[in-house]
């Protein structure tokens, strides 16, 4: 980024000319492995800075062309919609009475999108051959040091363009399933809310058939039909009837992050550590604000309080916490618990 920025004007001019004269070609992508909570790894394919600029520019053009294709059931990468909107939608469905849900996600979603079928969907609305050839060259650009066994499938996850291409590919699926079911989809995660178990089982069959038509398939170990009251984990929330709480995995990830910032042998002053911790806590609380007066938020707040008190005192004696790191001291240093941030806001 710094190298490109140092000569940004010249580099952008050269890039513009290469695109205008059709001489620009994409570079190979760089593989980066991201650990997942279950212990496995997600493989991202990262473009270089110059390619990311091109990808982002193409995404702006394509979004304007295909925006009306993204129906009301799609909540990822659509302007004016968010993950919290998707969770709130399921909440509204739950308030209508007892509900059954079918939850699933797509097996290796980005890695299994059929490229030719995706290009056909783009060509249905775009007649400019040079533009389509540019998109094709990006989709078919390989990963540095890797040999692709099946070159006919896969869109690089890690590009600014790939989420939009994924939505374009699934737009027809959304219409097909949404016409018969109450579908809520966020990228490859989806929930279908039904009135009865029989309707939920039928929805599972519809989703499976519609995905097969798009060259995709459901992930069996993530697919199930349950009563909503039994609890569904979706986008970091655990949804149980009218009630939504941060999931156990979300709480664990927050605690692991805070532990890494409050190692007891650290000698930094509590005020400095507090600033870093609150950056994490504010973002986490903002996302989980739908939980309201949740007991989970209350317990997380107690845990955070004790963790910060133990960091200050450097041992686990509860009495010493009260003498040397009272709650009033934490408040004076800027501490606000997740429960307070969600229930009382900035007050």
């Amino acid at each position: 980024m710094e190298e490109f920025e140092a000569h940004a004007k010249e580099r952008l001019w050269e890039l513009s000319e290469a695109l205008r004269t059709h001489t620009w070609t994409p570079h190979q992508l760089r593989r980066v492995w991201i650990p997942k909570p279950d212990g496995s790894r997600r493989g991202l394919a990262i473009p270089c800075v110059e390619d990311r600029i091109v990808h982002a520019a193409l995404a702006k053009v394509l979004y304007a062309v295909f925006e009306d294709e993204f129906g009301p059931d799609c909540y990822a990468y659509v302007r004016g919609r968010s993950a919290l909107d998707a969770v709130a939608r399921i909440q509204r469905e739950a308030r209508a009475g007892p509900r059954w849900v079918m939850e699933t996600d797509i097996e290796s979603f980005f890695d299994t999108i059929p490229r030719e079928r995706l290009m056909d969907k783009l060509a249905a609305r775009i007649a400019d051959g040079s533009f389509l050839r540019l998109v094709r060259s990006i989709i078919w650009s390989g990963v540095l040091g890797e040999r692709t066994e099946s070159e006919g499938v896969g869109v690089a996850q890690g590009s600014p363009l790939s989420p939009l291409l994924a939505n374009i590919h699934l737009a027809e699926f959304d219409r097909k399933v949404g016409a018969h079911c109450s579908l809520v989809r966020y990228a490859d995660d989806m929930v279908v809310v039904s009135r009865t178990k029989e309707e939920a089982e039928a929805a599972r069959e519809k989703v499976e058939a519609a995905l097969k038509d798009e060259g995709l398939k459901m992930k069996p170990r993530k697919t199930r039909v349950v009563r909503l009251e039994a609890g569904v984990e979706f986008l970091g929330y655990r949804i149980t009837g009218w009630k939504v709480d941060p999931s156990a995995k979300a709480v664990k990830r927050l605690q692991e992050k805070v532990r890494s910032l409050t190692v007891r042998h650290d000698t930094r002053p509590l005020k400095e550590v507090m600033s870093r911790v609150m950056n994490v806590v504010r973002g986490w609380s903002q996302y989980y604000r739908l939980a309201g007066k949740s007991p989970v938020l209350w317990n997380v707040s107690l845990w955070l309080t004790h963790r910060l008190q133990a960091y200050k005192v450097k041992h686990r004696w509860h009495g010493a916490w009260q003498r040397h790191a009272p709650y009033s001291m934490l408040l004076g240093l800027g501490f606000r618990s997740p429960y307070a941030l969600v229930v009382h806001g900035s007050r």
Side-chain angles (χ1 to χ4, degrees), residues 181-195:
C181 308
S182 179
L183 171 69
V184 179
R185 182 178 69 81
Y186 192 90
D188 59 338
D189 291 329
M190 62 187 81
V191 168
V192 177
V193 184
S194 306
R195 289 175 296 178

Side-chain angles (χ1 to χ4, degrees), residues 60-116:
K60 287 185 178 181
V61 175
L62 286 173
Y63 190 92
V65 173
F66 286 92
E67 184 175 11
D68 63 331
E69 285 276 288
F70 308 142
D73 302 324
C74 174
Y75 287 86
Y77 321 121
V78 179
R79 290 172 191 159
R81 302 178 201 171
S82 68
L84 295 185
D85 293 326
V87 175
R89 161 88 177 276
I90 298 175
Q91 273 190 295
R92 291 195 298 272
E93 298 281 353
R95 293 187 182 120
R99 286 289 183 263
W100 285 80
V101 297
M102 190 284 295
E103 59 173 333
T104 187
D105 65 14
I106 303 173
E107 184 84 46
S108 303
F109 177 37
F110 284 92
D111 294 334
T112 57
I113 294 176
R115 294 174 178 176
E116 290 295 347

Side-chain angles (χ1 to χ4, degrees), residues 29 32 41 44 50 60 62 87 105 125 184 201 208-209 224 232 256 265 272 282 284 327 340:
L29 307 169
V32 176
R41 298 188 303 170
L44 302 184
E50 179 181 289
K60 287 185 178 181
L62 286 173
V87 175
D105 65 14
R125 287 202 171 195
V184 179
E201 292 287 358
E208 188 173 22
R224 64 175 188 152
V232 174
E256 288 174 350
H265 60 69
E272 180 183 341
R282 287 192 185 93
W284 192 87
Y327 191 70

Side-chain angles (χ1 to χ4, degrees), residues 268-276 311 332-334:
R268 288 177 298 175
L270 179 59
K271 184 175 183 180
E272 180 183 341
V273 171
M274 183 73 73
S275 176
R276 298 186 181 189
Y311 176 85
L333 293 174

Side-chain angles (χ1 to χ4, degrees), residues 309 320-331:
Q309 288 174 323
W321 294 353
Q322 303 306 319
R323 290 195 306 273
H324 303 295
Y327 191 70
S328 58
M329 172 190 286
L330 301 184
L331 290 176

Side-chain angles (χ1 to χ4, degrees), residues 19-311:
L19 289 167
R20 187 180 63 81
T21 57
H22 310 298
T23 58
W24 181 84
T25 55
H27 301 79
Q28 285 191 307
L29 307 169
R30 180 170 62 88
R31 178 66 71 195
V32 176
W33 294 101
I34 305 297
K36 299 170 68 173
D38 60 3
S40 61
R41 298 188 303 170
R42 174 183 286 111
L44 302 184
I46 309 298
C48 66
V49 177
E50 179 181 289
D51 286 22
R52 288 182 69 84
I53 293 171
V54 177
H55 293 197
L58 290 173
K60 287 185 178 181
V61 175
L62 286 173
Y63 190 92
V65 173
F66 286 92
E67 184 175 11
D68 63 331
E69 285 276 288
F70 308 142
D73 302 324
C74 174
Y75 287 86
Y77 321 121
V78 179
R79 290 172 191 159
R81 302 178 201 171
S82 68
L84 295 185
D85 293 326
V87 175
R89 161 88 177 276
I90 298 175
Q91 273 190 295
R92 291 195 298 272
E93 298 281 353
R95 293 187 182 120
R99 286 289 183 263
W100 285 80
V101 297
M102 190 284 295
E103 59 173 333
T104 187
D105 65 14
I106 303 173
E107 184 84 46
S108 303
F109 177 37
F110 284 92
D111 294 334
T112 57
I113 294 176
R115 294 174 178 176
E116 290 295 347
R117 186 174 180 84
L118 174 59
M119 290 304 303
D120 289 342
K121 293 174 183 287
L122 296 177
R125 287 202 171 195
I126 298 174
D128 187 336
S130 62
F131 186 92
L132 291 173
R133 284 191 294 272
L134 179 59
V135 176
R136 174 182 286 271
S137 69
I138 289 173
I139 293 176
W140 261 266
S141 59
V143 177
L144 188 65
E146 294 185 10
R147 178 177 294 178
T148 306
E149 297 295 334
S150 53
E151 295 184 354
V153 297
V155 172
Q157 188 177 4
S159 160
L161 187 58
S162 55
L164 178 60
L165 294 176
N167 269 355
I168 292 172
H169 186 70
L170 286 180
E172 188 175 347
F173 165 85
D174 291 340
R175 288 193 296 272
K176 194 179 296 183
V177 175
H180 303 94
C181 308
S182 179
L183 171 69
V184 179
R185 182 178 69 81
Y186 192 90
D188 59 338
D189 291 329
M190 62 187 81
V191 168
V192 177
V193 184
S194 306
R195 289 175 296 178
T196 64
K197 183 178 181 180
E198 292 72 22
E199 288 182 4
E201 292 287 358
R204 185 188 62 78
E205 295 177 1
K206 288 187 177 73
V207 168
E208 188 173 22
L211 285 176
K212 186 177 180 180
D213 290 342
E214 301 298 341
L216 304 167
K217 61 181 181 179
M218 294 192 299
K219 188 180 292 184
R221 63 186 179 87
K222 290 288 188 74
T223 303
R224 64 175 188 152
V225 172
V226 295
R227 290 186 67 92
L228 188 56
E229 288 76 8
V232 174
E233 291 198 5
F234 185 60
L235 302 179
Y237 277 91
R238 179 171 174 79
I239 307 170
T240 312
W242 287 40
K243 181 182 174 184
V244 295
D245 292 311
S247 68
K249 292 179 181 178
V251 172
K252 183 179 179 181
R253 285 195 294 270
L254 173 67
Q255 290 175 333
E256 288 174 350
K257 181 64 175 176
V258 172
R259 283 192 184 101
S260 70
L261 296 172
T262 56
V263 180
R264 287 194 177 91
H265 60 69
D266 196 337
T267 58
R268 288 177 298 175
L270 179 59
K271 184 175 183 180
E272 180 183 341
V273 171
M274 183 73 73
S275 176
R276 298 186 181 189
V277 169
M278 285 309 302
N279 286 337
V280 175
V281 170
R282 287 192 185 93
W284 192 87
S285 303
Q286 176 68 13
Y287 182 79
Y288 289 102
R289 63 184 182 273
L290 294 182
K293 297 180 179 180
S294 164
V296 175
L297 284 182
W298 179 261
N299 291 334
V300 170
S301 298
L302 289 178
W303 180 88
L304 274 168
T305 302
H306 295 160
R307 182 73 189 182
L308 291 167
Q309 288 174 323
Y311 176 85

